[in-house]
């Protein structure tokens, strides 16, 4: 009898421990996703403290998401080979170290580089750690839970995903306003330590026993070249002396195009590829990747620019900005568990399609921002936040479940990795693409408005000088009315400064309205694509 009780107690302890394992992976997931959006409201403070330009500021986001996306599938594969628990804990440790370096970047430098360069390198280290945490968390859940419990666990995972990405602006706003921007990174250090200790105790080791022991260096190298050339080219378009048709930009994209073609051909021939392109022969798997990309490009990348609008144009501080995202955050969190509960009852196709449609409508409603807006006019964005928040909460669980449910269980790590690569490519692409479009529209609008000015002292040469000066100051300087440090200072003593200031501010807002509409179109394209791609018969488990 004692022996029977002991066996029962051991079984009960095992059941309880797997829920602690869920808590441990959610620690890592929360940190990885929180840092995608928490930085957004801190960017104006970082810019003022480190005296950086628009392109360098974009890299604070892109360095993280770029390394995250590039390393993610390889690290997932390493987890399949050497143990998911081992790689998850290693990733969590690297992320924690990267967070500490980010926090210290305003006081120290790496190899004599500038403080902003040190911050961006540290963000890359964070991204490397996060590349293990997010995909392996889902693979660990898939290996730990079965049946209805797995659906419940993925629902909780999805709820945490929605909460982390949505609550980032609020948490960031509180920390930046009450302490400093460095605190958003210091926060990760104690959480990371707790996460490592909990993971060591609660998570059981799992791996793909059929996986080869070789790492796909070819795939890693060619995919890295593709991602870097794509994102770096989009960011370089922001340079005042470059354009979409500049040989440097076209050259980068040409190298990237060749790299992705070589990557696909090579991966098809390898026995143990980093990514098996044949996964995309399953339409539903492709649909999940498209949904993940469009979600990140159309929604999460947009948060950066909405934060600039709130802080630099409307004049809110970081905390006030975060509070104005609270409706979006709360609904995203509340709808996550509901979406998880619906997965066993509702067709995942319709959950994803409806969620993307809601988000497209919500984002489009935000495009009514105007150069005449005052602080109180932010309320006009509230209906968009409500609708988009509901969609954001609904979408994460079904996307993740679809990605791993359309492949054999042994390939869950690869499938999860590919889906999360799509997410990170979406954020990196969206941030850089919107920045390029905003910079281009901003310059075009400034040119038209300056040339339309009528004054005796405004010769063609003077107008050209003004256009060049305002353009080089960049959209961020324009959003503040060319106040503060940077090239905008050159206009402070110009008798036409009030007019110049208004031109810069209105051009920023009109450009922001344009990129919000583009974001809504991206989400709508995702909805239509998923409508045709996702099929019930593709689900394997």
């Amino acid at each position: 009898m004692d022996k029977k009780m002991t066996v029962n107690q051991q079984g009960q302890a095992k059941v309880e421990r797997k829920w602690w394992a869920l808590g441990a992976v959610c620690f890592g997931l929360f940190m990885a996703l929180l840092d995608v959006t928490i930085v957004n409201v801190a960017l104006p403070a970082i810019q003022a403290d480190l005296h950086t330009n628009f392109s360098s500021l974009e890299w604070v986001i892109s360095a993280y998401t770029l390394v995250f996306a590039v390393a993610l599938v390889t690290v997932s594969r390493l987890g399949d080979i050497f143990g998911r628990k081992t790689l998850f804990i290693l990733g969590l440790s690297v992320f924690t170290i990267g967070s500490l370096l980010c926090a210290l970047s305003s006081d120290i430098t790496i190899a004599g580089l500038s403080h902003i360069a040190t911050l961006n390198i540290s963000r890359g280290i964070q991204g490397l750690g996060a590349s293990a945490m997010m995909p392996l968390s889902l693979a660990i859940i898939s290996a730990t839970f079965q049946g209805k419990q797995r659906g419940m666990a993925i629902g909780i995972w999805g709820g945490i995903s929605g909460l982390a990405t949505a609550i980032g602006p609020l948490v960031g706003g509180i920390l930046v306003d009450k302490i400093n921007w460095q605190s958003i990174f210091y926060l990760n250090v104690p959480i990371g330590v707790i996460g490592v200790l909990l993971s060591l105790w609660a998570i059981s080791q799992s791996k793909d026993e059929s996986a080869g022991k070789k790492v796909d260096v070819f795939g890693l190298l060619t995919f890295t070249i593709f991602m870097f050339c794509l994102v770096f080219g989009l960011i370089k378009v922001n340079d005042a002396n470059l354009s979409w048709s500049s040989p440097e930009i076209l050259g980068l994209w040409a190298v990237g195009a060749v790299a992705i073609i070589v990557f696909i051909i090579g991966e098809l021939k390898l026995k143990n590829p980093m990514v098996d392109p044949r996964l995309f022969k399953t339409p539903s798997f492709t649909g999940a990747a498209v949904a993940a990309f469009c979600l990140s490009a159309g929604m999460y990348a947009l948060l950066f620019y909405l934060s600039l609008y709130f802080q630099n144009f409307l004049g809110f501080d970081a905390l006030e900005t975060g509070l104005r995202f609270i409706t979006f955050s709360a609904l995203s969190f509340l709808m996550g568990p509901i979406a998880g509960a619906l997965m066993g009852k509702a067709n995942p196709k319709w959950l994803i399609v409806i969620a993307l449609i809601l988000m497209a409508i919500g984002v489009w409603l935000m495009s009514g921002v105007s150069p005449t807006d005052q602080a109180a006019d932010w309320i006009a964005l509230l209906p968009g936040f409500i609708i988009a928040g509901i969609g954001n909460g609904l979408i994460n669980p079904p996307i993740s479940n679809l990605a791993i449910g359309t492949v054999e269980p042994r390939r869950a790590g690869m499938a999860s990795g590919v889906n999360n690569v799509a997410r990170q490519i979406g954020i990196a692409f969206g941030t850089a693409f919107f920045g390029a479009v905003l910079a281009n529209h901003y310059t075009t609008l400034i040119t038209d408005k300056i040339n339309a000015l009528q004054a005796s002292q405004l010769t063609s040469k003077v107008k050209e000088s003004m256009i060049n000066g305002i353009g080089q100051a960049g959209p961020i300087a324009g959003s503040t009315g060319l106040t503060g440090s940077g090239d905008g200072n050159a206009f402070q003593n110009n008798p036409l400064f009030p007019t110049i200031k208004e031109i810069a501010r209105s051009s920023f807002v009109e450009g922001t309205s344009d990129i919000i509409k583009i974001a809504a179109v991206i989400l709508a394209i995702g909805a239509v694509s998923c409508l045709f791609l996702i099929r019930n018969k593709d689900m394997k488990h």
Side-chain angles (χ1 to χ4, degrees):
M1 185 173 179
D2 291 340
K3 187 176 180 180
K4 186 177 180 181
M5 286 180 62
T6 302
V7 171
N8 289 339
Q9 288 170 349
Q10 288 175 345
Q12 183 65 29
K14 189 174 180 181
V15 170
E16 290 177 356
R17 187 169 291 193
K18 70 180 181 181
W19 291 105
W20 280 105
L22 175 63
V25 297
C26 284
F27 256 103
L29 172 72
F30 185 81
M31 290 170 65
L33 288 177
L34 186 70
D35 262 54
V36 174
T37 57
I38 193 173
V39 175
N40 287 321
V41 295
L43 290 174
I46 291 172
Q47 185 198 19
D49 188 25
L50 302 185
H51 309 292
T52 186
N53 57 28
F54 186 38
S55 294
S56 295
L57 207 60
E58 282 186 279
W59 273 112
V60 176
I61 295 175
S62 295
Y64 179 81
T65 54
L66 187 61
V67 175
F68 196 153
V70 167
L72 195 146
V73 178
T74 297
V75 175
S76 295
R77 196 63 183 151
L78 289 173
D80 287 342
I81 296 170
F82 300 110
R84 292 161 184 150
K85 174 180 179 177
T86 302
L87 266 291
F88 179 83
I89 292 172
L90 181 61
L92 188 51
S93 302
V94 170
F95 183 90
T96 304
I97 293 168
S99 298
L100 181 61
L101 291 174
C102 286
L104 295 172
S105 62
S106 61
D107 300 311
I108 64 171
T109 60
I110 296 174
L113 296 172
S114 65
H115 290 290
I116 185 64
T118 299
L119 173 60
N120 288 336
I121 290 172
S122 302
R123 287 283 286 164
I125 295 171
Q126 272 192 309
L128 181 61
S131 69
M133 291 152 57
M134 187 169 176
L136 290 177
S137 67
L138 191 55
I140 289 168
I141 289 172
S142 182
T144 305
F145 295 90
Q146 288 79 38
K148 291 183 178 179
Q149 283 192 344
R150 196 186 75 166
M152 187 185 301
I154 291 177
I156 294 170
W157 185 94
I160 295 296
S161 299
L163 173 65
T165 50
I167 206 173
L170 176 60
V171 175
I174 293 171
L175 292 173
V176 172
D177 188 60
K178 300 301 181 183
I179 308 176
N180 52 37
W181 67 263
Q182 292 90 339
S183 62
I184 66 175
F185 299 112
Y186 278 126
L187 173 69
N188 291 330
V189 178
I191 295 177
V193 172
I194 294 170
V196 167
L197 295 175
L198 186 58
S199 298
L200 285 168
W201 173 73
I203 298 175
S204 298
Q205 188 68 278
S206 64
K207 60 178 69 174
D208 180 359
E209 299 297 343
S210 65
K213 301 300 181 185
K214 291 184 178 180
V215 177
D216 181 9
V217 177
F218 164 82
L220 177 62
L221 182 62
T222 51
F223 189 74
T224 300
I225 293 171
F226 160 67
M227 280 295 299
F228 179 81
C229 289
L230 172 66
V231 175
F232 189 56
L234 286 167
I235 289 177
K236 289 293 287 182
V237 170
N238 295 329
D239 290 0
N241 59 335
L242 295 175
S243 68
W244 293 89
S245 58
S246 297
E248 183 178 344
I249 302 300
L250 294 177
L252 280 167
W253 289 341
V255 172
V258 171
I260 193 61
I261 292 170
V262 171
F263 171 80
I264 293 170
I265 294 172
E267 294 294 280
L268 283 169
K269 294 183 177 181
L270 290 177
K271 184 178 180 181
N272 294 299
M274 181 175 88
V275 174
D276 187 349
R278 295 176 189 84
L279 289 175
F280 291 95
K281 290 174 69 176
T282 304
S284 294
F285 181 85
T286 303
V290 169
F293 174 87
C294 292
L295 166 66
S296 294
M299 188 71 251
Y300 300 151
L302 187 64
L303 294 177
F304 169 34
Y305 298 95
L306 290 175
S307 294
L308 292 178
Y309 167 75
F310 276 127
Q311 293 189 64
N312 290 0
F313 186 79
L314 295 184
F316 294 121
D317 60 30
L319 176 56
E320 290 169 335
T321 297
L323 286 170
R324 278 155 183 78
F325 282 110
I326 192 68
T327 305
F328 175 78
S329 304
L331 287 168
S332 297
F333 175 60
L334 292 172
M335 295 304 296
I338 294 174
L342 287 173
M343 280 196 305
K345 303 172 184 176
N347 188 329
K349 169 181 178 173
W350 293 112
L351 279 177
I352 292 172
V353 169
I354 290 170
L356 285 169
I357 290 173
L358 287 172
M359 295 176 79
I361 293 170
V363 169
W364 186 271
L365 290 175
M366 301 176 200
S367 66
V369 295
S370 164
T372 61
D373 287 347
Q374 302 296 317
D377 293 319
W378 81 270
I379 199 74
L381 297 175
L382 195 55
F385 284 163
I386 292 171
I387 296 171
I390 293 171
N392 186 51
L394 284 175
I395 199 168
N396 281 299
I399 285 180
S400 302
N401 192 50
L402 192 64
I404 63 173
T406 52
V407 302
E408 298 87 351
R410 68 181 182 84
R411 308 187 86 180
M414 180 187 289
S416 174
V418 171
N419 189 260
N420 284 297
V421 164
R423 290 175 185 265
Q424 299 314 312
I425 291 176
I427 294 174
F429 172 82
T431 301
F433 179 66
F434 292 156
V437 171
L438 176 59
N440 183 267
H441 284 206
Y442 176 76
T443 302
T444 300
L445 289 165
I446 284 170
T447 301
D448 293 343
K449 292 176 181 182
I450 293 292
N451 283 330
L453 290 177
Q454 300 294 325
S456 57
Q457 71 269 35
L458 287 179
T459 63
S460 297
K461 194 169 184 179
V462 170
K463 287 182 178 180
E464 184 179 353
S465 175
M466 290 170 63
I467 290 168
N468 289 336
I470 300 171
Q472 288 176 359
I476 293 183
S479 68
T480 64
L482 302 172
T483 57
S485 60
D487 296 324
N489 284 338
F491 299 98
Q492 298 287 332
N493 298 321
N494 190 311
L496 290 174
F497 181 68
T499 302
I500 295 170
K501 174 180 178 178
E502 190 53 40
I503 285 173
R505 281 171 58 81
S506 64
S507 297
F508 167 79
V509 176
E510 289 173 35
T512 299
S513 176
D514 290 337
I515 64 172
I516 292 173
K517 290 175 182 175
I518 293 171
V521 170
I522 291 172
L523 291 162
I525 290 172
V528 173
S529 300
C530 291
L531 184 64
F532 291 101
L533 286 169
I534 300 173
R535 310 178 304 183
N536 276 347
K537 65 180 182 179
D538 291 334
M539 293 295 289
K540 289 184 168 59
H541 57 96

